[in-house]
Amino acid sequence: MEISSNGAETQPKFALPVDSEHKATEFRLFSAAAPHMRAFHLSWVSFFACFVSTFAAPPLLPIIRDNLNLTATDIGNAGIASVSGAVFARLAMGTACDLFGPRLASASLILLTAPVVFFTSIASSPVSFLLVRFFTGFSLATFVSTQFWMSSMFSAPVVGTANGVAGGWGNLGGGATQLIMPLVFGLIRDIGAVKFTAWRIAFFIPALFQTLSAFAVLMFGQDLPDGNYKRLQKSGDKQKDKFSRVFYHGITNYRGWILALTYGYCFGVELTIDNIIAEYFYDRFNLKLHTAGIIAASFGLANIISRPGGGILSDVMGKRFGMRGRLWTLWTVQTLGGVFCIILGQVDSLSASVAVMIIFSIFVQAACGLTFGVVPFVSRRSLGVISGMTGGGGNVGAVVTQLIFFKGSKYSKETGITLMGVMIICCSLPLLLIYFPQWGGMFCGPSSAKTATEEDYYMSEWSSDEKDKGLHEASLKFADNSRRERGRSVHSQTLPSNATPPANA
């Protein structure tokens, strides 16, 4: 808060219009204005770097497996290891964001995992290869800080868009690395290195990129529109929350668990495909390594439009139909993703497989964006924990799917892909159970009880003693800014007298 010359408090100035929490109410993609759009660009670039590092190995697997004498089981285990490490790391990241802020939490994890990417170059056995992939995968927990950061910077009308674009562009790393690593490998080999040396040197590129992104977040990022957690807590503008209460209200909200399950079969499927698709096309259609890499890259590169499209669609449906519109759209899109996944496993020509894979990628990645159009509204106090639970669910889904369908030779890859599509459809059904008293669910409208308001829902996370201390004020503002989740009819309603009107710079 700024002080004017006459001693009165004034609203701080921002480049973007903001609401009463100083969250941006507009999303301007080609702006780098501080703090909102700068946080957006820092978050997606750093997440992109972590994705590149985590999936740098799959496009070079035909070379690495010959060098390290990897069996099909070794490759399957390493793929599982790469996504299993982030399961608990994502839950921890969510809590860290709630307590210390997304900037410090994100940069710390990136810097801790960057050395492991460098160490990939000295892997000499199946065990060491599995270990470096396991610890590198921890970096994928930066997804949670990315979504938390966007939810802290952007208001309800555009939060789905911000989350979708940041997550989608970060996920582009999974496709970009399919192009980058074979290219870097080829250049190093052409310079004069033998192929078993060239793939090792190639890993220095993603490792350096990841390290630089962490320093950029630390130097140029800001936790909240009004400043960093530490300064705001020191000045008394933000109260330091209790870990036990934040964690409790997160894990006891059943909506978070359902979103974690369903996210396991959109983002979890995406991680699985990133691990297997290059090798699948290489082996099944007898393609060259570079060609298989280009085809595999198209799956991840679809994130440039698909996941952002899901976030934008969530906001559009939310504006028109409220939270019920967000839920219905998420279920529909994710179910269609499962249908195209089944088809992908059934087609047996190269051209048809590529076409179906691209359509499948659009639906499954859009479902990811749609999921995080809902997540910010599940809890205000425990936003980080809910984000971490949901993000961790994505990794659990990837681990379970790869263990069941792609470990060793129990199933052919095409059979595994077909069965994975069935799992997507089945695991999307629990979305039918999500219900918000103030907004309703997929089949039921909002509760008729007088206590079923946005304030009642978000205030239930605070005790009377905490309310007496004023700790709930941020949640109260968020409740007011979330009224539009009732749907278009709310726009014609008059705000209650105790509502705080949006503040625009």
Side-chain angles (χ1 to χ4, degrees):
M1 195 73 72
E2 296 177 350
I3 306 297
S4 65
S5 57
N6 61 5
E9 291 183 346
T10 62
Q11 299 291 346
K13 298 296 181 182
F14 297 102
L16 275 64
V18 297
D19 62 15
S20 58
E21 296 179 273
H22 295 169
K23 294 181 180 180
T25 57
E26 292 182 6
F27 180 78
R28 299 176 184 174
L29 182 60
F30 299 106
S31 169
H36 305 93
M37 295 311 301
R38 182 179 295 177
F40 162 75
H41 289 296
L42 288 170
S43 65
W44 82 258
V45 169
S46 59
F47 184 41
F48 179 95
C50 293
F51 239 99
V52 169
S53 295
T54 299
F55 294 100
L60 299 182
L61 267 179
I63 308 301
I64 298 173
R65 71 185 179 187
D66 291 341
N67 189 192
L68 302 182
N69 297 316
L70 302 176
T71 65
T73 299
D74 293 331
I75 293 172
N77 287 337
I80 293 168
S82 69
V83 295
S84 61
V87 172
F88 296 106
R90 286 190 168 200
L91 184 56
M93 174 62 82
T95 306
C97 287
D98 279 323
L99 299 178
F100 306 110
R103 168 181 160 272
L104 186 59
S106 177
S108 298
L109 181 62
I110 295 172
L111 289 175
L112 284 171
T113 53
V116 185
V117 188
F118 283 108
F119 291 155
T120 305
S121 63
I122 60 173
S124 58
S125 67
V127 173
S128 58
F129 180 66
L130 183 147
L131 288 174
V132 292
R133 291 217 66 195
F134 174 73
F135 287 110
T136 300
F138 276 58
S139 66
L140 291 183
T142 51
F143 167 77
V144 175
S145 56
T146 294
Q147 302 296 280
F148 183 97
W149 209 353
M150 294 304 92
S151 298
S152 300
M153 286 288 183
F154 293 92
S155 189
V158 294
V159 69
T161 301
N163 274 332
V165 179
W169 284 16
N171 284 3
L172 277 175
T177 196
Q178 304 280 356
L179 298 175
I180 293 170
M181 294 307 289
L183 178 62
V184 172
F185 166 78
L187 289 173
I188 295 171
R189 184 189 55 193
D190 292 344
I191 290 172
V194 298
K195 66 177 183 178
F196 287 167
T197 300
W199 77 261
R200 298 176 183 276
I201 298 174
F203 273 84
F204 279 78
I205 301 303
L208 180 61
F209 180 25
Q210 182 173 325
T211 303
L212 293 176
S213 72
F215 285 116
V217 169
L218 282 173
M219 293 171 63
F220 304 113
Q222 181 174 303
D223 290 318
L224 296 171
D226 296 322
N228 291 322
Y229 273 36
K230 187 174 182 180
R231 182 182 68 79
L232 293 173
Q233 289 169 349
K234 187 175 181 179
S235 65
D237 292 327
K238 176 178 173 57
Q239 299 294 327
K240 191 169 184 178
D241 213 335
K242 294 181 179 179
F243 165 76
S244 59
R245 303 307 298 167
V246 170
F247 189 73
Y248 172 78
H249 286 293
I251 64 170
T252 56
N253 193 317
Y254 80 92
R255 302 167 190 84
W257 290 106
I258 291 177
L259 291 172
L261 171 63
T262 58
Y263 196 62
Y265 283 89
C266 54
F267 183 66
V269 167
E270 182 179 348
L271 292 178
T272 300
I273 293 293
D274 283 335
N275 264 327
I276 69 167
I277 199 66
E279 189 182 17
Y280 170 70
F281 277 100
Y282 179 85
D283 290 335
R284 187 174 187 192
F285 298 105
N286 298 313
L287 302 178
K288 293 180 180 179
L289 178 65
H290 181 65
T291 305
I294 291 175
I295 294 174
S298 64
F299 179 85
L301 291 176
N303 270 298
I304 197 168
I305 59 169
S306 53
R307 183 163 186 150
I312 294 169
L313 183 59
S314 182
D315 285 338
V316 170
M317 298 303 288
K319 182 178 180 180
R320 178 65 179 86
F321 301 105
M323 178 56 66
R324 300 181 71 186
R326 293 184 190 265
L327 292 171
W328 266 108
T329 309
L330 169 56
W331 176 80
T332 302
V333 169
Q334 185 155 331
T335 299
L336 287 173
V339 171
F340 282 103
C341 186
I342 293 172
I343 297 173
L344 177 61
Q346 297 297 307
V347 295
D348 55 6
S349 72
L350 177 60
S351 57
S353 292
V354 173
V356 174
M357 182 196 71
I358 292 174
I359 297 172
F360 163 53
S361 71
I362 291 172
F363 278 100
V364 77
Q365 291 161 6
C368 296
L370 283 156
T371 300
F372 274 85
V374 176
V375 165
F377 300 98
V378 174
S379 170
R380 171 60 178 82
R381 185 176 189 178
S382 303
L383 171 61
V385 176
I386 297 295
S387 299
M389 287 167 57
T390 306
N395 286 77
V396 171
V399 171
V400 171
T401 301
Q402 291 180 69
L403 276 174
I404 297 174
F405 303 128
F406 302 105
K407 183 178 182 293
S409 57
K410 184 178 180 180
Y411 296 104
S412 65
K413 281 191 172 62
E414 50 267 35
T415 300
I417 290 172
T418 298
L419 295 175
M420 182 168 66
V422 176
M423 290 285 285
I424 294 172
I425 295 172
C426 292
C427 291
S428 300
L429 293 175
L431 287 170
L432 307 178
L433 302 176
I434 292 182
Y435 180 80
F436 292 89
Q438 71 276 32
W439 301 318
M442 288 177 62
F443 292 106
C444 302
S447 171
S448 59
K450 293 183 178 180
T451 56
T453 65
E454 289 79 3
E455 286 81 4
D456 291 310
Y457 180 80
Y458 293 110
M459 290 307 100
S460 66
E461 298 180 322
W462 300 92
S463 67
S464 56
D465 289 341
E466 289 170 330
K467 291 177 184 177
D468 290 341
K469 297 176 182 178
L471 302 182
H472 69 300
E473 291 180 359
S475 292
L476 195 60
K477 290 180 180 179
F478 182 79
D480 181 52
N481 292 322
S482 298
R483 293 181 190 281
R484 67 189 75 246
E485 292 305 308
R486 300 177 186 177
R488 180 174 290 177
S489 60
V490 75
H491 296 167
S492 61
Q493 294 178 5
T494 303
L495 289 175
S497 59
N498 63 347
T500 305
N504 290 291

